[in-house]
Amino acid sequence: MIVGALVLAASGCQRESVSHFRVPKSAPAPEPAGMAAMPAGMGGGMGAPGMAGDVPPPAQPTGSSALAWTLPKGWNEVRGGGAMRYATITPPASGGKVEVTVIVLPGPAGGELANVNRWRGQIGLPPLDDAALASARKHVKTRAGDVSVYDFLGEGQQKTRVVAGFTFTEGNTWFLKMSGDASAVGARKPEFVSLLESLRLDAN
C-alpha cells in the first residue's frame, strides 16, 4: 500500500522531488476464539493430535451408571483401546477382521438417526430417513432396557458389515458396534447378540 511521500529538496537546484515507498501490510488478525476442534473420531479430527483446541474425551460412567455385560466364551476385552472408547472386545479368529468397540457419550449424542447414518457412511451406504430407520431397527430386551440393533452390509468390492446396538440409559448413550469383514462379522453375530442380551447396569 502506498501510504506516503517523502519530499526531498535537491540542494543547489532548488527543485523538489517526490518519492513513494511501499510499506509492509499489518500482520493478519488472529483467529476468533472459541473455535475448538471436535473430538477425534466424532466427525472432526482434522487437526493433528495435541493441537490447541482439542477436546478431551468425556468422563466415563462408573458404578451404578455404567453398563456391564457377559463375554461369550473365548472373547477378550480391554478397557479403552482407542480414542473415545470405553472398551475394545475381540472375538476369536473368524477367518477375517472383526472387532467390537464400546463407546459411551453423555446425553443423546446426536440422536439415533445421525449415528446410524454415520455407521452406514463408514461402509459406503447412503443415509436413511426416519421411516427407513424404523424398518431397519430390531429390538433386544435387556436388564438395562431395550437395545436398538442394526445390521448393515456394505456394497464395496470387499464386503464389510456392521452389527451395532444403541441404547440410552442413566443419562448416557451407549454404542456397541461389531464391524469388519462381512463373513467374519456374520460368523460372530449370534454371540454378539448374546452379549447384547446380557447388558445390565453394573450395580445389578
Side-chain angles (χ1 to χ4, degrees), residues 43-54:
M46 296 300 291
M51 288 181 65
D54 279 357

Side-chain angles (χ1 to χ4, degrees), residues 35-52:
M35 298 182 67
M38 294 177 67
M42 296 302 297
M46 296 300 291
M51 288 181 65

Side-chain angles (χ1 to χ4, degrees), residues 11 18 81 92 103 129 136 142 144 166 176:
S11 63
V18 179
I103 291 175
D129 58 18
T142 78
F166 177 105
L176 295 95

Side-chain angles (χ1 to χ4, degrees), residues 9 19 28 32 63 98 124 155 168 183 185:
S19 299
V98 59
E155 296 178 344
F168 183 79
S183 58
V185 171

Side-chain angles (χ1 to χ4, degrees), residues 135-158:
S135 297
R137 182 190 298 123
K138 307 295 181 186
H139 289 286
V140 169
K141 292 191 176 299
T142 78
R143 290 163 61 187
D146 282 2
V147 177
S148 300
V149 180
Y150 298 91
D151 186 348
F152 300 121
L153 178 63
E155 296 178 344
Q157 188 172 8
Q158 183 173 354

Side-chain angles (χ1 to χ4, degrees), residues 9-123:
S11 63
C13 65
Q14 301 298 312
R15 274 191 323 178
E16 291 184 345
S17 64
V18 179
S19 299
H20 294 81
F21 295 86
R22 288 186 182 277
V23 298
K25 294 180 179 178
S26 57
E31 292 291 337
M35 298 182 67
M38 294 177 67
M42 296 302 297
M46 296 300 291
M51 288 181 65
D54 279 357
V55 177
Q60 302 289 308
T62 58
S64 61
S65 63
L67 282 186
W69 50 82
T70 301
L71 284 179
K73 185 178 180 180
W75 290 44
N76 294 302
E77 171 189 331
V78 295
R79 285 301 165 102
M84 307 296 293
R85 292 187 186 184
Y86 182 82
T88 301
I89 301 173
T90 307
S94 304
K97 295 178 181 177
V98 59
E99 181 183 59
V100 175
T101 59
V102 182
I103 291 175
V104 56
L105 295 173
E112 191 164 349
L113 178 63
N115 283 288
V116 168
N117 282 333
R118 179 169 55 83
W119 294 334
R120 288 175 58 83
Q122 290 170 350
I123 58 173

